[in-house]
Amino acid sequence: MGPKIAVVGAGAVGGYAGAHMVQAGEDVTFIDPWPAHVEHMRKHGLRVTHAVDVPEFRVAVRALHVTDAQQLIKENPIDIAFICMKSYDTAWAAMLIRQYLASDGYVVSLQNCINEQTIAEVVGWGRTLGCIASSITVNLPEPGLVHRGAGKGGTAHTEFGGEMLANEPIRRFSTRLGSEAIRVGQALGYELEEIFHLPPDTIARAGEGDETAMRACDEERFRQGKRTAAEQRPSMGQDVQKGRRTEIEFLNGLVVREGEKVGVPCRANSVLTELVKRVERGELTPDPRHITELRLN
């Protein structure tokens, strides 16, 4: 018998990863708060499509509403629980699944942002694992359907679509966002791995204006940008498009807060966080000019 797996949050990332687990023969239970999605999965299974290279497939799945999760108490406990919710839903999702975990079971954060601390406060650090879904570029366009805007890339990493790369001010701004985050991580004592197959310090220096580093970053990003469908939006872009709350405070906002602790200014991340929050509140309409017309110190 293999491990009993729960996927809490069967959205784009949870649905994509979980569907492949089911396809591989694993025992997976999906738990999700969207009733229409759960009902569709129950009746028709979960369908996964790709923009390029990979044939679509459909798997029959076990899907529970959040309100049905209590029936897990009658079953064998969960060995591995993947939390795939939005960051602001992490705490209650961890609380929900904790009571159904095996004594040696653990929880994996398969999410945007850095939510391991939140999970560990519920289940303990000894039962908490982080997981990076790098360049997965997926969305949930309708109930029961997960679409990936790129083919499977193996060890390749693709983070941005063509429109962002073609716009130099936005490209420079995004590099500065990463540069600030790297400097914060270094100040906190983290040993950082390659990003875009480049040394972190190269990206940091590119965001600080080093011409040689900027050329190296641009070359690698343009090379990788060819691997993603142009219409694919990152998760935050999908949230804005659908009028939903974003995870900005748990992404760029986290960089700003951690930077304040170690005295590293994060002006670009701070400005972006405030811009997105104003869009969320309806004070601004989404427009690239909010970035392209910025004048940062």
Side-chain angles (χ1 to χ4, degrees):
M1 293 289 291
K4 185 169 183 178
I5 299 169
V7 175
V8 185
V13 173
Y16 186 82
H20 280 83
M21 294 180 208
V22 173
Q23 190 182 47
E26 300 292 347
D27 179 5
V28 181
T29 297
F30 293 91
I31 304 170
D32 197 79
W34 186 14
H37 184 42
V38 172
E39 289 304 317
H40 193 285
M41 288 192 291
R42 285 175 169 174
K43 294 176 182 177
H44 308 290
L46 184 56
R47 179 181 166 216
V48 178
T49 62
H50 293 75
V52 292
D53 301 333
V54 184
E56 71 173 67
F57 67 91
R58 186 190 302 267
V59 288
V61 301
R62 184 194 187 197
L64 302 178
H65 294 285
V66 169
T67 53
D68 296 327
Q70 47 80 27
Q71 67 186 257
L72 293 174
I73 200 67
K74 302 176 183 179
E75 306 172 10
N76 290 332
I78 300 296
D79 298 299
I80 309 170
F82 289 87
I83 292 185
C84 306
M85 302 292 292
K86 293 292 187 182
S87 294
Y88 44 77
D89 288 324
T90 300
W92 71 257
M95 287 291 292
L96 173 74
I97 205 64
R98 179 183 68 178
Q99 58 196 313
Y100 307 115
L101 281 178
S103 58
D104 58 350
Y106 54 93
V107 178
V108 181
S109 171
L110 183 55
Q111 305 168 271
N112 285 327
C113 317
I114 301 175
N115 296 309
E116 288 77 13
Q117 176 72 46
T118 301
I119 293 171
E121 289 173 356
V122 177
V123 302
W125 275 112
R127 307 177 80 186
T128 302
L129 284 176
C131 179
I132 299 175
S134 176
S135 69
I136 195 168
T137 59
V138 289
N139 64 78
L140 187 72
E142 60 187 62
L145 172 63
V146 176
H147 177 74
R148 184 172 184 179
K152 294 180 179 178
T155 58
H157 295 255
T158 305
E159 304 292 345
F160 298 95
E163 288 185 62
M164 289 181 63
L165 288 176
N167 188 308
E168 183 172 359
I170 290 179
R171 192 170 70 249
R172 295 282 172 257
F173 182 77
S174 66
T175 301
R176 179 161 173 179
L177 293 173
S179 173
E180 292 177 354
I182 288 168
R183 292 307 189 204
V184 170
Q186 291 172 334
L188 288 168
Y190 294 119
E191 185 175 336
L192 305 179
E193 298 180 354
E194 285 190 346
I195 307 166
F196 298 134
H197 304 287
L198 293 168
D201 205 59
T202 298
I203 300 172
R205 287 187 289 105
E208 293 161 354
D210 183 289
E211 293 289 340
T212 302
M214 288 167 64
R215 283 195 297 273
C217 285
D218 283 351
E219 288 174 6
E220 183 62 22
R221 289 173 65 179
F222 277 115
R223 185 184 71 81
Q224 295 180 33
K226 298 175 182 178
R227 302 178 55 87
T228 301
E231 69 275 7
Q232 179 67 27
R233 291 175 179 265
S235 60
M236 191 175 302
Q238 295 174 38
D239 289 337
V240 170
Q241 188 179 42
K242 297 175 182 179
R244 299 188 305 211
R245 180 184 177 185
T246 74
E247 297 176 282
I248 190 69
E249 293 178 74
F250 300 86
L251 286 164
N252 306 87
L254 174 65
V255 173
V256 175
R257 293 191 299 274
E258 293 299 307
E260 290 173 347
K261 296 177 183 177
V262 291
V264 176
C266 299
R267 175 68 173 153
N269 280 275
S270 178
V271 168
L272 181 63
T273 300
E274 184 55 32
L275 283 172
V276 174
K277 289 169 69 175
R278 291 183 66 190
V279 170
E280 286 182 333
R281 296 192 296 263
E283 298 172 6
L284 289 176
T285 56
D287 192 318
R289 289 178 298 178
H290 298 320
I291 300 299
T292 58
E293 296 178 2
L294 273 177
R295 296 293 180 268
L296 295 176
N297 54 17

